[in-house]
């Protein structure tokens, strides 16, 4: 059975695309045949993060309009054997996606034997975002530790429970996971940011991980390599933990505590 | 939610109390239905069965009578559930009440008129007391198992509302009876929406933006009292007439 996972948030710029790329890569690294779809028609970011922008010939909208076959549009990832990217179109307007079209593509991915389909949602709570979550079995609600992001995630959770197919058909609700990204333990410690516990308390959704704020995300996107491949970095480790927890493994939370510089360090500086 | 421009015959706004407000420039069902059909043509389920307040401030002249049952069933066809009216003269409000709609004028207007206890002295120009409202026990209780999220609304018509997973900031729940909330009560909670002054709001974790019982509101711009913030609490209405006020008390749960 194919599982459809939407990476969503309501708010823009919180790390959905970064997460979609890392998470889909992580599933593929674990041996699952995975497709990652860019629903952000008009912006088209995912192919840049995945480093396949020069290989885009056909896109999601071409497939929906019958101008290309799905297997012509799917781009094989350069890092993972089992991973395929379905890019968004940069030129079309947002109405190019239709519910029927999306459904046909997802059904076809099922027939092709994909284990996971990861949907990178656009920001907002309008059509594009709703289409990205319509067919979801699970949702990774990506949230930054600040009030406006938490509020938008709350809204999208409501939409998930009212507009998804699972809701419409009265099936078991979409499984919700809370992912907190761009987390800075230091700023939490200084009271400038909500703690992950605050966020979880506000949203009351199972926490699947906390991704620290890190320069390596920028390096990764400049290189066109999903952050999970940057071996040894906190971000890569944190995303690997997320994938492991998603697959049912137990992993303790990491990178959430701020260690105040000790007395020696404060007196003498350095490491 | 905004659909349509001010020149339209009907315009939708987010109410200051949360439910969708439909500002009507015509009170006749047929032309409104045409207009809604035009506005929502391809989106039959644009509204999700959400509660709506019909606002008549946009009428150029108030008609002598309004076809309430026609109006209500017309809105229901478009998946809107009229629960109340505002900006309407006392004569028409009386008929609206007969049709099961509450008077829901803004917070500042609500206090004097929206407390129709059968024994309370009516103001001189107040509408006649409504027919006996459906009581909670008869209408039954509405249970909500999942959190009520920001932007969502729940209306327990004629009865009590039980929230088993709390509610978020930006959400709104309305009950004609009492509201029982297990988990955080964080958005807007309006009990006794049809004027039941005996309704209460009970929660295991008090942190709302607004509470209201029978149209008497309380907001919390200055914060919530220490003894109840984030703790079990009960809200009830005390006093009569202009002295009516909401009391919030800590609740001992164990
Ligand atoms: N953990 C992180 N640390 C630092 N920067 C991050 C992190 N995650 C995302 N970013 C940055 O935030 C910006 C928005 O990320 P993106 O994944 O495109 O968000 P979205 O898809 O939600 O709009 C990008 O510049 C990205 O590099
Ligand atoms: Mg994005």
């Amino acid at each position: 059975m194919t599982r459809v996972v939407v990476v969503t948030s309501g708010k823009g710029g919180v790390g959905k695309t970064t997460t979609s790329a890392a998470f889909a890569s992580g599933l593929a690294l674990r041996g699952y045949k995975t497709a990652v779809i860019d629903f952000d028609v008009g912006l088209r970011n995912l192919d840049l993060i995945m480093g396949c922008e020069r290989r885009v010939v056909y896109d999601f909208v071409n497939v929906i309009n019958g101008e290309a076959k799905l297997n012509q549009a799917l781009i094989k990832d350069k890092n993972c054997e089992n991973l395929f990217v379905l890019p968004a179109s940069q030129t079309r307007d947002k109405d190019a996606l239709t519910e029927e079209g999306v459904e046909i593509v997802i059904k076809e991915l099922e027939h092709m034997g994909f284990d996971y389909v990861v949907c990178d949602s656009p920001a907002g709570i309008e059509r594009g975002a709703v289409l990205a979550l319509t067919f979801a079995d699970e949702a990774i609600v990506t949230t930054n530790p600040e009030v406006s992001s938490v509020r938008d995630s709350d809204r999208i959770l409501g939409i998930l429970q009212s507009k998804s197919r699972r809701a419409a058909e009265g099936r078991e609700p979409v499984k919700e996971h809370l992912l907190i990204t761009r987390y800075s333990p230091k700023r939490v410690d200084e009271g400038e940011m909500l703690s992950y516990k605050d966020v979880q308390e506000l949203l009351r959704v199972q926490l699947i991980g906390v991704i620290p704020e890190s320069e390596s995300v920028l390096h990764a996107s400049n290189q066109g390599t999903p952050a999970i491949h940057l071996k040894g970095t906190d971000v890569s480790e944190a995303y690997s933990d997320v994938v492991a927890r998603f697959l049912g493994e137990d992993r303790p939370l990491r990178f959430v505590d701020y260690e105040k510089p000790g007395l020696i360090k404060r007196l003498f500086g350095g490491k | 939610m905004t659909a349509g421009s001010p020149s339209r015959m009907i315009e939708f706004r987010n109410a200051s109390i949360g439910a969708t407000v439909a500002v009507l420039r015509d009170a006749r069902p047929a032309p409104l239905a045409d207009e809604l059909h035009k506005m929502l043509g391809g989106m039959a389920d644009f509204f999700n069965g959400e509660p709506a307040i019909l606002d008549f401030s946009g009428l150029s002249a108030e008609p002598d009578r309004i076809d309430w049952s026609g109006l209500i069933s017309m809105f229901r066809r478009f998946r809107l559930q009229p629960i109340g009216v505002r900006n309407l003269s006392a004569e028409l409000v009386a008929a609206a009440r007969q049709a099961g709609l509450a008077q829901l004028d803004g917070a500042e207007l609500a206090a004097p008129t929206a407390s129709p206890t059968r024994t309370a002295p009516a103001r001189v120009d107040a509408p006649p007391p409504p027919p006996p409202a459906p009581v909670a026990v008869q209408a039954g209780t509405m249970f909500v198992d999942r959190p009520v999220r920001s932007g969502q609304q729940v209306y327990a018509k004629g009865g009590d509302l039980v929230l088993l997973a709390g509610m978020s900031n930006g959400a709104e729940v309305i009950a004609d009876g009492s509201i029982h909330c297990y988990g955080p009560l964080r958005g807007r909670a309006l009990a006794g929406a049809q004027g039941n002054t005996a309704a209460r709001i009970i929660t295991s974790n008090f942190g709302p933006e607004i509470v209201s019982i029978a149209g008497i509101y309380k907001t919390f711009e200055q914060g919530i009292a220490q003894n109840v913030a984030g703790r079990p609490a009960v809200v009830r209405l005390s006093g009569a007439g202009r002295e009516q006020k909401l009391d919030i008390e800590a609740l001992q749960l164990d």
Side-chain angles (χ1 to χ4, degrees):
Chain A
M1 257 321 265
T2 310
R3 295 288 284 177
V4 179
V5 186
V6 63
V7 177
T8 185
S9 71
K11 196 166 159 54
V14 297
K16 289 181 293 297
T17 301
T18 306
T19 297
S20 299
F23 180 70
S25 300
L27 290 171
L29 288 173
R30 292 295 199 98
Y32 294 101
K33 187 171 175 188
T34 305
V36 55
I37 307 181
D38 190 348
F39 275 78
D40 209 343
V41 172
L43 276 182
R44 204 183 114 181
N45 266 329
L46 182 67
D47 51 337
L48 290 171
I49 304 293
M50 301 293 301
C52 64
E53 72 279 8
R54 288 202 205 85
R55 289 190 286 147
V56 175
V57 182
Y58 296 113
D59 58 52
F60 196 11
V61 173
N62 290 135
V63 177
I64 283 181
N65 291 346
E67 294 149 2
K69 295 228 168 61
L70 180 55
N71 57 19
Q72 292 177 300
L74 284 173
I75 302 172
K76 196 166 173 306
D77 182 56
K78 59 185 183 191
N79 294 298
C80 305
E81 188 65 26
N82 298 324
L83 181 59
F84 295 83
V85 183
L86 183 54
S89 147
Q90 205 157 24
T91 49
R92 320 265 177 151
D93 70 301
K94 292 198 188 296
D95 293 334
L97 292 185
T98 60
E99 190 168 322
E100 304 74 52
V102 173
E103 184 166 21
I104 289 169
V105 169
I106 287 179
K107 284 258 162 68
E108 205 171 332
L109 290 168
E110 253 170 54
H111 288 307
M112 292 167 79
F114 277 91
D115 297 303
Y116 290 102
V117 175
V118 177
C119 303
D120 179 19
S121 174
I125 55 172
E126 287 89 35
R127 207 180 136 76
V130 172
L131 278 176
L133 62 76
T134 298
F135 299 96
D137 299 302
E138 306 197 32
I140 296 184
V141 179
T142 310
T143 308
N144 290 165
E146 40 148 297
V147 172
S148 66
S149 174
V150 170
R151 175 68 71 99
D152 287 0
S153 290
D154 198 68
R155 273 199 98 111
I156 212 80
L157 282 160
I159 290 168
L160 208 52
Q161 297 310 342
S162 59
K163 299 261 157 104
S164 61
R165 269 291 164 90
R166 280 178 170 268
E169 292 172 359
R171 286 184 285 145
E172 194 186 315
V174 176
K175 188 168 178 198
E176 304 160 341
H177 307 274
L178 170 62
L179 178 69
I180 300 174
T181 54
R182 313 201 62 166
Y183 194 74
S184 165
K186 179 165 185 282
R187 294 189 57 201
V188 172
D189 192 72
E190 288 161 354
E192 292 170 16
M193 221 182 223
L194 295 174
S195 75
Y196 72 90
K197 286 180 187 144
D198 293 335
V199 176
Q200 198 192 359
E201 216 267 313
L202 284 165
L203 289 173
R204 290 159 290 139
V205 171
Q206 182 77 39
L207 187 65
I208 198 169
V210 177
I211 309 297
E213 170 82 21
S214 162
E215 289 265 303
S216 7
V217 172
L218 187 63
H219 298 315
S221 79
N222 287 340
Q223 284 171 242
T225 306
I228 199 166
H229 293 301
L230 299 191
K231 289 275 161 319
T233 63
D234 290 1
V235 168
S236 158
E237 297 283 306
Y239 274 121
S240 303
D241 284 353
V242 168
V243 173
R245 289 186 200 107
F246 182 83
L247 297 171
E249 294 164 29
D250 240 351
R251 293 280 171 100
L253 268 189
R254 296 193 274 170
F255 319 114
V256 291
D257 295 319
Y258 174 56
E259 283 180 32
K260 284 212 179 80
L263 180 63
I264 306 276
K265 207 168 175 182
R266 269 188 283 136
L267 286 178
F268 302 106
K271 298 254 164 189
Chain B
M1 166 183 330
T2 306
S5 61
S7 63
R8 284 226 149 100
M9 206 185 289
I10 171 168
E11 177 192 336
F12 294 100
R13 295 184 192 153
N14 257 339
S16 61
I17 66 154
T20 292
V21 171
V23 182
L24 308 183
R25 295 206 169 70
D26 196 314
R28 296 165 302 161
L32 286 172
D34 288 345
E35 178 84 9
L36 274 165
H37 193 76
K38 259 188 267 160
M39 285 166 74
L40 308 174
M43 300 181 288
D45 58 351
F46 183 84
F47 296 106
N48 210 355
E50 58 205 64
I53 297 168
L54 309 183
D55 185 326
F56 293 87
S57 59
L59 291 184
S60 45
E62 205 172 68
D64 293 337
R65 59 175 294 277
I66 290 176
D67 173 7
W68 291 110
S69 62
L71 210 51
I72 292 171
S73 63
M74 190 280 295
F75 275 108
R76 285 194 186 143
R77 264 191 284 131
F78 288 93
R79 316 240 316 117
L80 270 175
Q81 176 69 50
I83 57 164
V85 296
R86 58 162 58 158
N87 295 316
L88 203 57
S89 70
E91 296 73 41
L92 286 171
V93 163
R97 285 200 152 138
Q98 298 280 356
L101 297 173
Q103 182 176 16
L104 294 172
D105 284 280
E108 57 301 337
L109 301 175
T113 51
S115 49
T117 40
R118 250 146 272 151
T119 50
R123 289 193 309 156
V124 191
D125 60 344
V135 284
V137 256
Q138 285 167 354
T141 303
M142 180 173 175
F143 294 95
V144 180
D145 291 315
R146 303 190 64 88
V148 184
R149 301 287 182 183
S150 177
Q152 292 188 316
Q153 289 136 352
V154 172
Y155 174 40
K157 189 173 169 61
D160 281 6
L161 178 62
V162 179
L163 305 178
L164 291 158
M167 64 183 295
S168 302
N169 284 315
E172 181 177 71
V173 299
I174 306 170
D176 290 342
S178 295
I179 295 168
H180 312 253
C181 177
Y182 301 86
L185 179 90
R186 287 195 178 120
R188 299 153 177 266
L190 318 182
Q194 304 235 32
N196 181 355
T197 52
R200 296 185 189 182
I201 297 170
I202 302 146
T203 177
S204 62
N205 179 344
F206 190 78
E209 294 164 329
I210 285 182
V211 289
S212 154
I213 293 174
I216 307 296
Y217 287 76
K218 184 167 175 56
T219 56
F220 298 92
E221 289 117 286
Q222 313 302 326
I224 295 172
Q226 280 290 316
N227 66 323
V228 288
R231 316 181 69 102
V234 58
V235 185
R236 62 186 117 205
L237 191 61
S238 70
R242 298 206 157 267
E243 304 297 299
Q244 281 185 324
K245 63 178 179 57
L246 294 185
D247 297 330
I248 302 166
E249 290 154 30
L251 198 62
Q252 199 62 43
L253 279 191
D254 34 44

